[in-house]
Amino acid sequence: MSAPLRRAEAGLARLHQLSNGVRVICDPVPGLETLALSVVAGRGARSEDAERSGWSHLLEHMVFKGAGERSAKDIVEVIEADGGQINAATGYERTSFQVRALAGGLDLGARVLADLVQRPTLEAEDLAREKQVVGQEIAEAADTPDDIVFEMAQAAAFGDHPLGRSILGTEASIATATPKTLGDWRAALYAPDSLVVAASGAVDEDELLAIAERDFGAAAGQGAPEPPPAEFAGGISAEAKRLEQANLVFLLPSVGVTHEDYFALRLFAEILGGGMASRLFQEAREKRGLAYAVDAYAETYAETGVLGVFAGCAAGDAAELAKVAAGQIMALAERVEPAELARAKAQLKAGLFMARESPLARAEQAAGQVLLFGRMLTPQEIAEDIDRVEAADLARIGAGVLAPGRAAVSVLGPKPALKAAESFQRALFG
């Protein structure tokens, strides 16, 4: 049976744990007529070795081909017949299966998701077809410049580490999967030690706990080995291609999501290029007209992360845009204006509280927090952490991203744009 672990300090959400290690989160939201149910495994593409690259994503596809007593058609029809929606997503550190439903849809949603996670049929004929589908997805990504340029940057940043490989894998790596080996991978990837069942919206705690015990209380399996620590390698990946625009990504090493400076990194990225009032948007687009699209972001994993800048621009402007991006990073590392910091904090908190209005976002966020921290964080706790960030913390982030003297740069576009890689490196590090 389950045991309560923690009640969120300022809310109704509660965390329980089943005897087999599966954790259950109940987050009722009064007044809603819908609910969201997420079954989240705290493993993903980062757990793969090179030979199994892409298997987590392939498995996510395959469980929808048939599970329990339901065919692929039955899985979606039974959910949609009740007004619900079903989806899934594979990331580097997490795999998530989700159902949105009307009030009263918890029982059916849990039965279907439990079958997907624990009892997929994994038929050989389905696997052969799905390998073709994923192969088309890989080809489509390769034909999409603003997809492939991020994969190039990821590879430049993390090299042979799993974080440096595409979540989709390669046609060669997914070709080796068989129903047996994929089934073994399922047992490791979705093992109960990293499984979280989270429900938010029109849900009742007693009903959820009974359903979770029924559908996930017998889940078994030995988890995949812990992935190796990631180290930022850095380097340049540049490819000349006949395109209308140059696509640029600049990455610098930074902290992970569990680090005390996590929110300082998020705020640094927000001020640098998080919106129309950001430094990059104002300088590169509004003042100089160098790019239509330019933004900065923080991509974080458990123990590491990156500060990133993406831009799409004319090939002839790429080198100059790279200098501007480098200059703005260095300037922000030196000084932040109080009004900028206040605005960034307001934006970050607004995003947090707006997401709280979606049951699915609440369920996914709570599951992620439990997987990372072993508990749920209240919105007030997060807001207080954001408010505590000072200018000195941003200066520390700026010094940290520049100190190693390494960047990962990817450029995809007409040949003149390739100069942007060296331009960025030289402007930052001489």
Side-chain angles (χ1 to χ4, degrees):
M1 294 298 291
S2 68
L5 296 181
R6 178 180 175 88
R7 180 190 294 272
E9 293 174 3
L12 296 174
R14 286 185 58 142
L15 173 63
H16 297 257
Q17 183 168 306
L18 305 184
S19 58
N20 61 350
V22 174
R23 285 165 287 186
V24 182
I25 299 168
C26 185
D27 176 30
V29 183
L32 290 191
E33 296 298 326
T34 65
L35 63 90
L37 176 66
S38 291
V39 178
V40 184
R43 298 185 177 97
R46 185 173 177 174
S47 296
E48 300 164 350
D49 53 29
E51 290 72 24
R52 286 182 284 202
S53 179
W55 282 26
S56 303
H57 174 257
L58 176 63
L59 176 61
E60 177 224 305
H61 277 233
M62 276 300 298
V63 302
F64 282 91
K65 299 299 119 183
E69 301 299 319
R70 297 183 182 88
S71 67
K73 186 178 181 182
D74 293 337
I75 289 168
V76 294
E77 279 191 347
V78 72
I79 294 293
E80 293 182 0
D82 266 8
Q85 301 168 353
I86 188 168
N87 206 348
T90 301
Y92 280 108
E93 297 182 326
R94 197 172 303 163
T95 308
S96 175
F97 297 89
Q98 312 133 9
V99 165
R100 289 292 314 276
L102 297 173
L106 183 64
D107 180 80
L108 174 63
R111 288 181 185 275
V112 172
L113 293 188
D115 281 342
L116 295 183
V117 170
Q118 298 176 83
R119 291 175 287 277
T121 52
L122 303 180
E123 298 289 346
E125 290 183 2
D126 292 331
L127 180 56
R129 282 193 295 268
E130 207 57 30
K131 287 178 181 179
Q132 291 182 310
V133 172
V134 174
Q136 293 168 24
E137 190 175 353
I138 293 170
E140 181 184 10
D143 285 340
T144 308
D146 54 359
D147 280 350
I148 195 170
V149 74
F150 280 100
E151 291 193 0
M152 292 166 60
Q154 196 79 8
F158 295 107
D160 293 333
H161 189 273
L163 290 180
R165 298 193 290 264
S166 168
I167 289 173
L168 300 179
T170 66
E171 290 193 55
S173 62
I174 64 171
T176 62
T178 68
K180 172 64 168 63
T181 58
L182 205 59
D184 292 342
W185 186 240
R186 180 212 64 78
L189 201 67
Y190 306 156
D193 67 310
S194 76
L195 212 58
V196 178
V197 178
S200 181
V203 294
D204 174 79
E205 185 172 47
D206 290 337
E207 180 190 18
L208 174 63
L209 290 175
I211 287 172
E213 184 68 46
R214 179 196 71 194
D215 293 337
F216 297 94
Q222 185 68 37
E226 284 297 310
E231 292 187 9
F232 187 95
I236 293 174
S237 180
E239 180 182 339
K241 193 168 186 178
R242 296 183 64 182
L243 298 170
E244 291 298 320
Q245 273 200 320
N247 296 269
L248 318 173
V249 175
F250 310 117
L251 300 180
L252 292 166
S254 196
V255 300
V257 69
T258 59
H259 195 278
E260 62 182 0
D261 281 335
Y262 167 73
F263 287 114
L265 172 62
R266 291 284 305 273
L267 291 166
F268 193 102
E270 180 69 29
I271 295 167
L272 179 64
M276 294 174 66
S278 70
R279 292 190 179 192
L280 275 177
F281 191 94
Q282 288 297 313
E283 186 68 24
R285 174 175 164 159
E286 297 298 276
K287 290 184 181 179
R288 300 178 183 236
L290 293 174
Y292 173 75
V294 59
D295 60 69
Y297 60 94
E299 188 73 49
T300 53
Y301 309 99
E303 86 294 8
T304 191
V306 295
L307 172 71
V309 173
F310 166 77
C313 65
D317 292 330
E320 183 63 23
L321 180 58
K323 290 180 186 177
V324 171
Q328 291 300 316
I329 292 169
M330 290 188 292
L332 182 53
E334 288 291 324
R335 176 173 172 77
V336 59
E337 298 296 334
E340 290 180 304
L341 183 54
R343 182 170 60 245
K345 289 180 178 180
Q347 287 293 314
L348 212 55
K349 288 186 288 186
L352 165 69
F353 287 109
M354 288 176 185
R356 299 284 298 171
E357 298 178 5
S358 161
L360 181 57
R362 292 171 70 110
E364 290 279 307
Q365 184 183 72
Q369 290 170 353
V370 166
L371 286 166
L372 285 166
F373 305 109
R375 67 183 185 93
M376 294 169 289
L377 310 178
T378 68
Q380 292 75 17
E381 184 179 356
I382 296 173
E384 289 170 3
D385 286 343
I386 293 171
D387 282 334
R388 274 194 289 268
V389 176
E390 299 178 347
D393 301 314
L394 267 68
R396 188 166 56 251
I397 288 293
V401 301
L402 297 174
R406 297 192 304 273
V409 182
S410 62
V411 183
L412 182 66
K415 190 173 181 179
L418 304 190
K419 298 175 183 177
E422 184 182 349
S423 177
F424 183 78
Q425 297 264 42
R426 188 168 56 246
L428 274 185
F429 308 123

